[in-house]
Amino acid sequence: MPQRFFSTRSPDRFVDVKEAVLRSLPADNGLYMPESMDELGEDFWENWRGMSLPEIGVHVARAVFKDSIPEEELEKIVHESANFPAPLVSVKEKEHVLELFHGPTLAFKDFGARFMARLMAWLTRDDEGMLTVLVATSGDTGGAVASAFHGVPGTRVVILYPKGKVSGLQEKQLTTLGENITALEVDGTFDDCQRLVKSAFLKREMSEKLNLTSANSINISRLVPQSFYYFEAAKNLPEGVRPTFVIPSGNFGNLTAGLLAEKLGLQIERFVAATNRNDVVPEYLREGEYKPRPSVATISNAMDVGAPSNFARMENIFGNQWEAMKSRVAGFAYGDEVTRETIRRIYQETEYVLEPHGAVGWLAAEAWREDHPDAHTVVLETAHPSKFLDVMEEELGEGEIEVPERLACLAEREKVAIPMGIDEQLFHEWLENMA
Ligand SMILES: *Cc1c(COP(=O)(O)O)cnc(C)c1O
């Protein structure tokens, strides 16, 4: 049977995989969830510890997409997208870090973006015309999406980023690929970029003519491949050990992917949500009231989110019961000063380099261990330290952080971006002319 997807706002209306993935967001503003998620079968559990990351991924993806995608296609998509490692590093006894930054853009978002790009290309293989992916970015997402779609046949990507508000190397990640990737340098804020993207989708005629789709983090196809590495981490712990996953969180996609892994039968001791000062979810877990608010800027800026987009999925998974969520997910929040101090302290103690997002996670893991000294904690390290070079050099000194070649080499490449104002009409005209 093919999988069906429902919106968290209308659980009795279903769409197929193509609609869920290409539409990304249901018309009622809910989020798509798979109708059924059964635990993986005996054939999996007998062998999973001997499987590679993509082999595990094929089983997980099949459990979510079922017959919606032919077996050999799904295999190909998983093997081509999860084609870099996710090593589990023991920094101290029973204190682990899961390094998710070994992909092409050095961020965990590569897992989701690469899978989504290939799935979208397959879903639209017989459609006329190009699929046009619109994405607004404040930094990391645009780079991962651009790299993932680069050279994928039948697709093109238009990235909108706020002029002067992304880091130098981040900008190069968006503006140096060329071919089917176009960068628009918007003379405004990230919110302007998002508004322009939304306005294009609202123009139904144009949206259909251009085959517009969105690559934002609420897309269900970005979530599924993020479940793979929870299994990968667990498999590398001693048999019988149930990991406590500590997840530096912004929109809570990563944490939601962990909850999906648990639904598929993975034995997990507990989830620990770690945030910076944008602590809407830890506060909810403590007080039972969900109070989204404007975000504040921090040094772990990929987690500067005031209204986490995946919260609706977390609620759905726990049947809208606060007590139920609270019993599985703990929450901790930290400010910039203690985060900086942790980067220095852990480097001095262990020589391990945590970047700001991972350091927030480390703090939460330490807090959890105070009451649970026997826990085996796994902190998800979501980006490579060189992506946050300014902060890292302030704490550890200049020249201490190695910049991997694939990021360093971008410095010499020439930036190509099209200047764009914040006027919706002019943006729409530009889009139509590119068709
Ligand atoms: C996107 C991002 C996060 C937040 O992940 P969510 O799934 O949105 O919670 C954390 N760290 C880094 C480096 C990121 O790029």
Side-chain angles (χ1 to χ4, degrees), residues 259 313-321 324-325 328-329:
L259 298 175
R313 283 198 174 107
M314 295 169 67
E315 280 195 299
N316 181 272
I317 287 169
F318 291 109
N320 299 304
Q321 300 287 315
M325 194 189 296
R328 295 298 300 137
V329 186

Side-chain angles (χ1 to χ4, degrees), residues 37-99:
M37 291 270 286
D38 301 326
E39 288 194 5
L40 290 160
E42 274 306 305
D43 57 327
F44 176 78
W45 296 112
E46 274 164 20
N47 301 309
W48 71 293
R49 287 178 173 273
M51 291 182 194
S52 66
L53 173 66
E55 282 167 354
I56 289 173
V58 171
H59 284 266
V60 171
R62 200 191 300 139
V64 177
F65 292 105
K66 304 190 189 287
D67 297 342
S68 305
I69 301 152
E71 173 98 31
E72 63 281 8
E73 281 304 329
L74 202 54
E75 258 178 48
K76 204 169 131 205
I77 292 169
V78 171
H79 279 270
E80 283 178 13
S81 55
N83 64 346
F84 53 92
L88 185 71
V89 178
S90 295
V91 178
K92 295 184 180 182
E93 204 196 338
K94 292 191 279 183
E95 299 179 55
H96 312 275
V97 169
L98 182 64
E99 295 186 344

Side-chain angles (χ1 to χ4, degrees), residues 210-339:
L210 289 174
N211 256 327
L212 286 188
T213 190
S214 127
N216 54 27
S217 67
I218 52 182
N219 196 296
I220 184 74
S221 69
R222 270 181 65 174
L223 223 50
V224 174
Q226 290 174 209
S227 298
F228 303 171
Y229 44 71
Y230 285 87
F231 291 84
E232 176 74 6
K235 131 194 146 180
N236 285 314
L237 291 171
E239 210 160 338
V241 166
R242 292 160 58 107
T244 294
F245 282 106
V246 185
I247 303 136
S249 295
N251 274 318
F252 284 78
N254 234 348
L255 198 142
T256 304
L259 298 175
L260 295 185
E262 181 167 55
K263 277 213 171 276
L264 295 177
L266 185 64
Q267 296 295 303
I268 294 169
E269 185 65 29
R270 196 74 69 104
F271 294 91
V272 177
T275 72
N276 56 32
R277 276 173 55 221
N278 297 285
D279 63 344
V280 175
V281 172
E283 179 189 78
Y284 168 78
L285 291 166
R286 204 170 53 239
E287 295 171 7
E289 254 190 281
Y290 182 64
K291 294 185 281 195
R293 47 189 172 255
S295 64
V296 296
T298 75
I299 56 167
S300 46
N301 57 23
M303 310 198 296
D304 293 351
V305 178
S309 57
N310 277 289
F311 187 71
R313 283 198 174 107
M314 295 169 67
E315 280 195 299
N316 181 272
I317 287 169
F318 291 109
N320 299 304
Q321 300 287 315
W322 172 63
E323 296 281 352
M325 194 189 296
K326 202 175 137 87
S327 71
R328 295 298 300 137
V329 186
F332 297 94
Y334 298 94
D336 282 351
E337 265 324 299
V338 66
T339 304

Side-chain angles (χ1 to χ4, degrees), residues 338-388:
V338 66
T339 304
R340 286 179 181 275
E341 189 267 323
T342 303
I343 292 171
R344 291 197 301 271
R345 174 167 57 89
I346 298 308
Y347 186 62
Q348 278 157 14
E349 282 177 14
T350 69
E351 293 194 356
Y352 192 80
V353 179
L354 292 164
E355 55 71 59
H357 305 78
V360 168
W362 188 273
L363 279 162
E366 285 184 338
W368 180 256
R369 301 181 65 81
E370 271 185 27
D371 295 329
H372 305 83
D374 295 328
H376 289 251
T377 47
V378 177
V379 175
L380 273 51
E381 183 44 289
T382 46
H384 190 278
S386 64
K387 293 199 88 172
F388 303 93

